[in-house]
Amino acid sequence: MGNTVTCCVSPDASPKPGRARGVVERPDPYRVEVELDKPELGHNLQHISDREFPDDLAPESNPSDHARASTIFLSKSQTDVREKRKSNHINHVSPGQLTKKYSSCSTIFLDDSTVSQPNLRSTIKCVTLAIYYHIKNRDSDRSLDIFDEKLHPLTREEVTDDYCTHDPDHKHIYRFVRTLFSAAQLTAECAIVTLVYLERLLTYAEIDICPSNWKRIVLGAILLSSKVWDDQAVWNVDYCQILKDITVEDMNEMERHFLELLQFNINVPASVYAKYYFDLRSLADDNNLSFLLEPLSKERAQKLEAISRLCEDKYKDLSKAAMRRSISADNLVGIRRSNAIIS
C-alpha cells in the first residue's frame, strides 16, 4: 500500500542511498510537478553508432558518417571542373551538340537509375571517377604497408621502382573495379557502399589513396562492402579465384587491418547512402557522364504506378501503427502522403 503519488513519481523500486528501508517520505508537491514534467529517458537514448563514433574526429570531416558533411570526392573534383569551364570560356570552346534530352508535355524522359535501384554500369563509372579524383588531387602520399602493392603484390608481375609516380587513368581504374564486380556478381548498391568505406578509411586512418596503394584499398573496400550489403556474400577464397596470384592469408590480413582502421564502424545510414548517390550523379553531370534516358512507356508508367501504390499502403500501415503506439496527443505522429499522378 502507501502513498499513490509516491508510487507514480518514483518508478525505481530500490531505495536511494541514505534512505532507511520501510520509511516512506512525504513527497514535496513542487518536486512532484518537476518530476512529472521530465521527459522520458527512453527517447533521449543515444544510438549505438553515435556512441561508437571517435571523439577526436570532427563531424564536418566525416562525410561517411554524417549526412550534412559534403563528400570528399565531390570537393576534390570541383577544382578540375572549374578549370575546365574556365579554359572553355577563355578559348571560346563550343559545348557542341546538346545530347541531353529534356522532357516536354508530350514526352517524359527517365533513366533506369534510382536511389533504391541504381544502374550498375553508370554507378561503377561514377565511383571509379571519384576514386580517380581522389588519386589525382591527393594532399600527399601517406600510406600503410598493408596496402602497399610493392610489399603485397596482387600479381606475379614485377612491380617497377617508379610504380608510385604514375597516376592511373580513369579507364584503368574502371577496368579493375568492373572485373571484380562482374566476376563476383556484385550489385550497384555495393559500389556506393564501397566508396563510403573508402572515404571513411582515408579519414579515420589519415592516409591518402595514391598509385602505390589504390588497388589494395579498393579491393579491401569491395571485400567489406560485399559482406555487409549482400545477403550471399562472396568469400575471400572466391576473390583468390578472380585474382589468381593473391593468397587467402593475404586477403584475411588485409580485411582484418581494414576493419581495425575503420574502428569496426561498418554502419552506413540511409541518409549517408542517399547523399553519396546524389553526389555521384552530380559528379556525372559535371564530367558529361550521361545516364541513358528513355521515353516513359505505358508499361513502365503502370509499373511506377504499382510501386507508388505499394509505398502508399506501407505509409498507411506505418501511420496506423504510430497511432496505436501513441499514449497522448503529444506523441501522435502524422505522416503526410502525396498521390502520384501518372497520365
Side-chain angles (χ1 to χ4, degrees), residues 58-122:
E60 59 270 11
S61 63
N62 287 275
S64 61
D65 291 305
H66 297 272
R68 295 184 178 181
S70 59
T71 53
I72 303 176
F73 71 86
L74 194 61
S75 60
K76 286 184 177 294
S77 67
Q78 291 306 308
T79 304
D80 289 42
V81 171
R82 286 192 295 265
E83 290 180 356
K84 187 183 300 182
R85 291 175 179 173
K86 184 179 179 179
S87 175
N88 292 340
H89 178 72
I90 294 176
N91 299 326
H92 303 285
V93 177
S94 174
Q97 185 179 2
L98 296 178
T99 58
K100 189 173 181 180
K101 300 177 181 179
Y102 295 91
S103 301
S104 62
C105 297
S106 58
T107 306
I108 298 177
F109 289 98
L110 294 176
D111 58 62
D112 58 347
S113 181
T114 62
V115 67
S116 58
Q117 292 182 345
N119 179 271
L120 177 61
R121 185 172 178 270
S122 301

Side-chain angles (χ1 to χ4, degrees), residues 194-219:
T194 296
L195 185 59
V196 175
Y197 287 158
L198 187 146
E199 293 202 343
R200 185 173 297 175
L201 174 73
L202 301 182
T203 306
Y204 281 24
E206 297 181 351
I207 61 177
D208 301 285
I209 183 169
C210 51
S212 62
N213 63 11
W214 73 269
K215 283 187 178 180
R216 291 183 62 86
I217 289 180
V218 171
L219 177 61

Side-chain angles (χ1 to χ4, degrees), residues 41-211:
L41 297 178
H43 297 290
N44 297 329
L45 288 178
Q46 197 175 18
H47 193 269
I48 185 172
S49 62
D50 298 330
R51 294 199 299 269
E52 292 179 351
F53 182 73
D55 297 331
D56 57 339
L57 295 176
E60 59 270 11
S61 63
N62 287 275
S64 61
D65 291 305
H66 297 272
R68 295 184 178 181
S70 59
T71 53
I72 303 176
F73 71 86
L74 194 61
S75 60
K76 286 184 177 294
S77 67
Q78 291 306 308
T79 304
D80 289 42
V81 171
R82 286 192 295 265
E83 290 180 356
K84 187 183 300 182
R85 291 175 179 173
K86 184 179 179 179
S87 175
N88 292 340
H89 178 72
I90 294 176
N91 299 326
H92 303 285
V93 177
S94 174
Q97 185 179 2
L98 296 178
T99 58
K100 189 173 181 180
K101 300 177 181 179
Y102 295 91
S103 301
S104 62
C105 297
S106 58
T107 306
I108 298 177
F109 289 98
L110 294 176
D111 58 62
D112 58 347
S113 181
T114 62
V115 67
S116 58
Q117 292 182 345
N119 179 271
L120 177 61
R121 185 172 178 270
S122 301
T123 303
I124 293 179
K125 275 190 174 183
C126 295
V127 169
T128 52
L129 183 61
I131 297 173
Y132 166 77
Y133 279 119
H134 264 289
I135 300 174
K136 181 182 179 182
N137 299 325
R138 63 188 181 275
D139 299 328
S140 61
D141 292 323
R142 299 170 299 175
S143 184
L144 297 173
D145 292 343
I146 187 62
F147 300 122
D148 196 330
E149 197 173 348
K150 182 77 172 181
L151 302 176
H152 303 275
L154 297 179
T155 62
R156 294 181 181 178
E157 298 179 1
E158 183 180 359
V159 181
T160 59
D161 295 333
D162 59 345
Y163 71 106
C164 58
T165 59
H166 301 290
D167 293 347
D169 57 4
H170 179 215
K171 291 182 179 180
H172 186 192
I173 303 174
Y174 174 78
R175 285 195 298 266
F176 177 77
V177 177
R178 179 67 179 177
T179 301
L180 292 176
F181 270 74
S182 300
Q185 297 181 356
L186 302 178
T187 60
E189 297 88 346
C190 185
I192 299 177
V193 178
T194 296
L195 185 59
V196 175
Y197 287 158
L198 187 146
E199 293 202 343
R200 185 173 297 175
L201 174 73
L202 301 182
T203 306
Y204 281 24
E206 297 181 351
I207 61 177
D208 301 285
I209 183 169
C210 51

